[in-house]
Amino acid sequence: MEEQELRFNSKTIHGGQAPDKGYGAVMPPIYQTSTYAQRSPGEHLGYAYSRSANPTRSALEKAVASLEGGAHGLAFGSGLAAVDAVMKLLRPGDGVICTNDLYGGSYRLFTQIFEKYGIVFHFMDMQDLDQVAQHIGENTKMLWIETPTNPMMNILDLKGLARLAGEHGLLMAVDNTFATPYLQRPLELGADIVMHSATKYLGGHSDLVAGALVVKDGNLADQLYFIQNASGAICGPMDSFLALRGIKTLHVRMERHCQNAEAIAHFLQGHRAIEKVYWPGLPQHPNHHIAKQQMGGFGGMLSFLPKRGGRAAALGFLERLRVFTLAESLGGVESLAGHPATMTHASIPKKTRERLGVTEGLVRLSVGIEDVNDLIEDLDRAL
Ligand SMILES: *Cc1c(COP(=O)(O)O)cnc(C)c1O
């Protein structure tokens, strides 16, 4: 069957995949090899050295490209290695406009590595398209977008931003880790590059670290492939295999993540000890209407602020949880809880952090796919 004819929930299983040519293995074998025999110099079966290409990695790259509706995929050793490759498209003096409540590791990479090489980053609230437009200057080359944002779950208007990027000839890159292609496909809304930490929902089982990029344009794909091969931060064959295995159940997992998060958002919203719940599926969420337009569901990530007690209350709550695990990361089948101010966002200066709403009392949940009653009882007990 032609790939394009498949619906999303079949693409997770068959997208870009065909039984292995050797023995018909249904899952791509883990080609744990660095090099490949050549019949005559330069004459090989498409693979010469595993930094340049590896069949297990190729299978993952095709699968992710298929899910995002792109033409080319690239798999990296981590999500940040994928971000790193995108930034290497730029030259000293080039400017990037990015989301202000960005994944902490991306913020650190931008401000502590790439600023040193002369790339200029403008962090701003990209919910305000006029403000973004005002900051586009002669040297601006790229929009770096995260939506939903982390950990405040703000929603940015991808179509509106793509219009701006188009008008000014900017590359638009979207970190789609939180939403996954099941809920949101930025390339279809006008983005040029989609980035993933496959460590999270794509892998889905908290058992690997990997990253991915997907693009439509062949020329852009060539540039990124050159950077990937030249810099070398590739995804290994074992992790490629695990990510592929995870992707096969993405649609089923995401459906349950969304359902459980919805029940928990409503439970927290109605709890007397809770000040505020940040989840784009709540009608009170300031950009709920945009989320509804550009996403197929509202995702499994939410944050909340207890009414009083600040840091001590948040830490006490986290220590009392039994079903939720207190841990970094997100997107696995098991529910995790974290304290952004000391964990994922510790690398962002305190003043900047607090301005964004990442206060000492804020708690972030990655809602897993357990029985939701066990999750709610756990939260209730800990509160
Ligand atoms: C985890 C994460 C990253 C970084 O990915 P790694 O695989 O940890 O390198 C980037 N963006 C978001 C939104 C993330 O959650």
Side-chain angles (χ1 to χ4, degrees):
M1 195 172 183
E2 280 301 309
E3 161 94 43
Q4 296 88 310
E5 295 172 33
L6 292 178
R7 293 171 177 82
F8 188 90
N9 292 353
S10 306
K11 280 189 182 174
T12 55
I13 296 162
H14 300 293
Q17 310 298 305
D20 183 62
K21 288 199 195 88
Y23 297 99
V26 166
M27 271 305 278
I30 303 163
Y31 283 97
Q32 196 72 49
T33 186
S34 60
T35 189
Y36 306 79
Q38 307 193 5
R39 267 215 307 190
S40 171
E43 204 182 301
H44 52 70
L45 300 169
Y47 293 90
Y49 184 63
S50 281
R51 173 166 28 73
S52 307
N54 170 285
T56 319
R57 191 173 95 226
S58 302
L60 170 62
E61 293 175 332
K62 286 184 185 139
V64 181
S66 158
L67 292 183
E68 287 288 0
H72 310 273
L74 295 156
F76 292 83
S78 69
L80 282 176
V83 182
D84 179 83
V86 173
M87 290 303 146
K88 285 175 177 163
L89 291 166
L90 303 174
R91 294 171 185 283
D94 285 351
V96 182
I97 294 180
C98 29
T99 318
N100 55 6
D101 54 339
L102 198 61
Y103 174 70
S106 302
Y107 179 83
R108 180 177 54 198
L109 177 67
F110 295 171
T111 56
Q112 296 193 46
I113 306 279
F114 281 102
E115 277 186 356
K116 253 188 356 201
Y117 294 98
I119 314 287
V120 183
F121 294 91
H122 297 285
F123 298 93
M124 69 186 62
D125 182 355
M126 294 175 87
Q127 293 175 99
D128 182 352
L129 293 182
D130 290 336
Q131 188 181 320
V132 177
Q134 277 164 26
H135 279 84
I136 297 174
E138 231 176 88
N139 297 327
T140 310
K141 293 287 154 59
M142 186 185 289
L143 302 181
W144 181 271
I145 295 157
E146 223 178 283
T147 181
T149 65
N150 179 14
M152 301 314 294
M153 311 300 152
N154 290 323
I155 300 294
L156 307 185
D157 174 3
L158 290 175
K159 265 192 184 159
L161 289 162
R163 204 179 324 113
L164 275 182
E167 282 165 18
H168 294 87
L170 311 178
L171 275 177
M172 169 162 153
V174 180
D175 180 339
N176 205 30
T177 302
F178 269 37
T180 81
Y182 180 70
L183 301 178
Q184 171 174 282
R185 287 181 293 282
L187 296 179
E188 293 175 1
L189 301 172
D192 301 293
I193 304 174
V194 169
M195 172 259 151
H196 276 282
S197 169
T199 314
K200 316 294 168 54
Y201 287 107
L202 292 185
H205 295 74
S206 307
D207 54 6
L208 66 96
V209 174
L213 297 176
V214 181
V215 301
K216 286 190 283 197
D217 180 65
N219 186 21
L220 186 56
D222 289 347
Q223 290 178 56
L224 288 166
Y225 172 73
F226 178 84
I227 292 167
Q228 183 193 41
N229 187 43
S231 290
I234 48 144
C235 186
M238 183 69 202
D239 287 339
S240 297
F241 174 86
L242 285 172
L244 264 170
R245 178 180 157 129
I247 282 171
K248 300 213 178 236
T249 55
L250 178 69
H251 53 303
V252 186
R253 287 185 285 110
M254 288 314 293
E255 204 53 46
R256 183 61 64 85
H257 282 297
C258 292
Q259 278 170 18
N260 284 358
E262 177 166 17
I264 287 175
H266 285 110
F267 162 76
L268 290 172
Q269 179 94 331
H271 199 284
R272 61 194 147 68
I274 302 297
E275 171 81 35
K276 200 159 174 139
V277 181
Y278 302 91
W279 188 65
L282 291 172
Q284 300 89 322
H285 184 285
N287 281 330
H288 175 66
H289 61 290
I290 301 175
K292 235 164 114 176
Q293 277 168 19
Q294 72 186 19
M295 301 177 78
F298 304 106
M301 296 300 299
L302 64 85
S303 298
F304 68 91
L305 191 63
K307 262 198 186 122
R308 59 180 78 84
R311 181 187 178 86
L315 298 191
F317 164 79
L318 289 166
E319 286 164 10
R320 285 189 293 276
L321 290 169
R322 289 186 217 150
V323 182
F324 279 83
T325 303
L326 173 55
E328 301 262 3
S329 199
L330 61 107
V333 289
E334 60 286 296
S335 291
L336 303 181
H339 186 239
T342 51
M343 297 165 73
T344 46
H345 290 65
S347 54
I348 298 179
K350 185 165 178 194
K351 250 169 83 192
T352 314
R353 218 163 56 208
E354 303 241 318
R355 187 153 28 82
L356 303 174
V358 188
T359 54
E360 298 288 324
L362 191 78
V363 172
R364 189 187 80 177
L365 303 179
S366 169
V367 178
I369 63 171
E370 298 95 336
D371 187 310
V372 74
N373 296 306
D374 288 325
L375 299 178
I376 289 177
E377 277 170 30
D378 195 35
L379 295 169
D380 200 23
R381 196 184 320 116
L383 283 168

